[in-house]
Amino acid sequence: MLRLISPKRLRQLGIVGMNKRNFVYIAQNNPRHLYPRVDDKLKTKLLCEQHNIAVPHLFGVCSVQSHVRQLADFLKDDTQFCIKPAKGSGGKGILVVTGRDAENFLKPSGKAVTPEELCRHVSNILSGLFSLGGKPDVAIIEDLVQFTDDFNGFSFEGVPDVRVIVYQGYPVMAMTRLSTHASDGKANLHQGAVGVGIDIATGRALKAVQHARSITHHPDTERALSELVVPHWQAVMELAARSYEVTELGYLGADIVLDRNRGPLLLELNARPGLAIQVANGKGLEPRIRLAAAESDKGRKSVAERVAFSREHIAPL
């Protein structure tokens, strides 16, 4: 049975609602002219490379329909890669390929995708089927992240990521998003991935949810989610904090993946990060953002100083 919580109780818990997120945190911290830096994943990737921030390697970009006919030849020697729309959202339009079966491509679930189906998918991306506002888009083809063994049993058929909310350069809340069979290998909560709240002081799991309901074990592997500890936590926090200098956006979500060979990589940035992270953590964003704002008002700090402050002072809230 669902238990409802009153608006008064939500305010007491510091839960941020959609209106406050949109009209206060986003509107007052994210100038609209800077949105293309994060709404266009190709621009984000190139911007990060300019700032020496590690990102998945770019194989190529398919920008016009005539490129689609060249795809089969372009990918003939590649067995693992990811195709995504540059202006997509919510994980829509992402195609992950983890193997080959003769000329066909294999998804993490083992399902085969024919070359014709792959070309049709890319053509749909170019036509704007998955982009914000349905506008014409380009398809990014990038190297598949080889995720670290530390996540074995915590994720199924896909690459897990870490979402960190950053306010004025201070990491304020984090969660991992673990793929499931239901999410088709994608780390997207709306498609059935598991969200695990993470203690920003230690990188350890706090609690977990799937479809906004608390769970204790991964639905596919049955591994206890309380055992999860995100490796390279200091590097993850610093990578998230650096996204403030890259984008100049005061309120954003940084999505980070852990590659077993290259370490933490910045996957995407989001100017309108969702609020489900509060459910995964069992805590509200409000007091954390208030403390980060007060510290930011004291003057510009280095990335290391901001991360140290977040781990020591914001994490306990």
Side-chain angles (χ1 to χ4, degrees):
M1 178 179 294
L2 291 176
R3 184 162 59 93
L4 300 179
I5 301 178
S6 69
K8 181 181 178 181
R9 180 58 181 154
L10 290 174
R11 285 195 295 273
Q12 290 173 339
L13 293 171
I15 301 296
V16 173
M18 193 67 76
N19 287 338
K20 187 155 194 175
R21 184 201 71 161
N22 293 344
F23 298 114
V24 179
Y25 298 140
I26 292 178
Q28 296 181 5
N29 291 282
N30 295 349
R32 184 162 292 276
H33 72 277
L34 298 179
Y35 278 22
R37 295 184 181 183
V38 296
D39 284 349
D40 186 327
K41 296 178 179 62
L42 181 58
K43 287 185 178 179
T44 304
K45 182 182 285 288
L46 298 177
L47 197 59
C48 286
E49 289 178 343
Q50 290 174 11
H51 285 77
N52 294 317
I53 289 180
V55 295
H57 292 306
L58 181 66
F59 281 0
V61 177
C62 193
S63 56
V64 294
Q65 291 289 349
S66 61
H67 288 165
V68 176
R69 293 192 293 271
Q70 304 168 22
L71 267 178
D73 186 58
F74 182 78
L75 296 170
K76 65 181 180 181
D77 297 323
D78 295 309
T79 58
Q80 296 189 331
F81 55 89
C82 177
I83 297 178
K84 61 175 65 172
K87 299 175 183 175
S89 65
K92 297 175 183 175
I94 295 177
L95 176 62
V96 177
V97 172
T98 56
R100 299 290 291 264
D101 180 11
E103 64 176 8
N104 291 336
F105 304 91
L106 298 178
K107 298 171 67 173
S109 62
K111 182 179 179 181
V113 178
T114 67
E116 292 76 18
E117 289 171 330
L118 185 138
C119 288
R120 190 181 312 121
H121 182 79
V122 173
S123 181
N124 286 336
I125 289 177
L126 299 185
S127 65
L129 184 63
F130 309 107
S131 67
L132 292 168
K135 296 179 180 177
D137 203 352
V138 301
I140 301 171
I141 307 171
E142 62 184 19
D143 193 12
L144 189 65
V145 174
Q146 304 298 322
F147 68 93
T148 171
D149 294 338
D150 295 283
F151 283 101
N152 284 352
F154 292 116
S155 193
F156 189 70
E157 296 180 350
V159 178
D161 72 3
V162 182
R163 160 66 63 88
V164 183
I165 301 294
V166 181
Y167 189 84
Q168 296 295 331
Y170 291 82
V172 294
M173 192 169 280
M175 70 173 170
T176 59
R177 297 180 296 190
L178 309 173
S179 57
T180 65
H181 180 71
S183 70
D184 196 23
K186 299 168 186 171
N188 186 288
L189 299 188
H190 299 295
Q191 297 179 6
V194 173
V196 181
I198 298 296
D199 180 0
I200 61 172
T202 64
R204 294 181 176 277
L206 294 171
K207 60 175 295 188
V209 294
Q210 186 186 32
H211 299 304
R213 293 178 181 272
S214 293
I215 60 173
T216 58
H217 293 71
H218 192 283
D220 299 309
T221 68
E222 299 187 350
R223 182 158 184 184
L225 296 168
S226 60
E227 299 173 354
L228 175 62
V229 181
V230 179
H232 309 293
W233 187 242
Q234 176 68 18
V236 169
M237 291 281 278
E238 291 186 358
L239 197 56
R242 289 178 65 193
S243 61
Y244 174 58
E245 276 79 10
V246 173
T247 63
E248 300 181 79
L249 295 172
Y251 178 73
L252 57 86
D255 296 342
I256 295 166
V257 292
L258 298 170
D259 187 281
R260 79 166 65 104
N261 301 313
R262 301 180 62 203
L265 306 176
L266 196 143
L267 192 63
E268 294 180 9
L269 296 171
N270 193 318
R272 315 166 195 79
L275 298 170
I277 193 170
Q278 299 175 110
V279 180
N281 276 264
K283 296 181 179 179
L285 278 165
E286 177 78 35
R288 295 179 175 217
I289 289 178
R290 195 182 307 129
L291 183 57
E295 186 65 14
S296 176
D297 288 343
K298 295 177 182 177
R300 196 65 176 262
K301 303 286 178 58
S302 69
V303 169
E305 289 172 324
R306 298 199 305 263
V307 169
F309 182 85
S310 294
R311 297 184 71 168
E312 181 177 356
H313 299 286
I314 296 179
L317 297 177

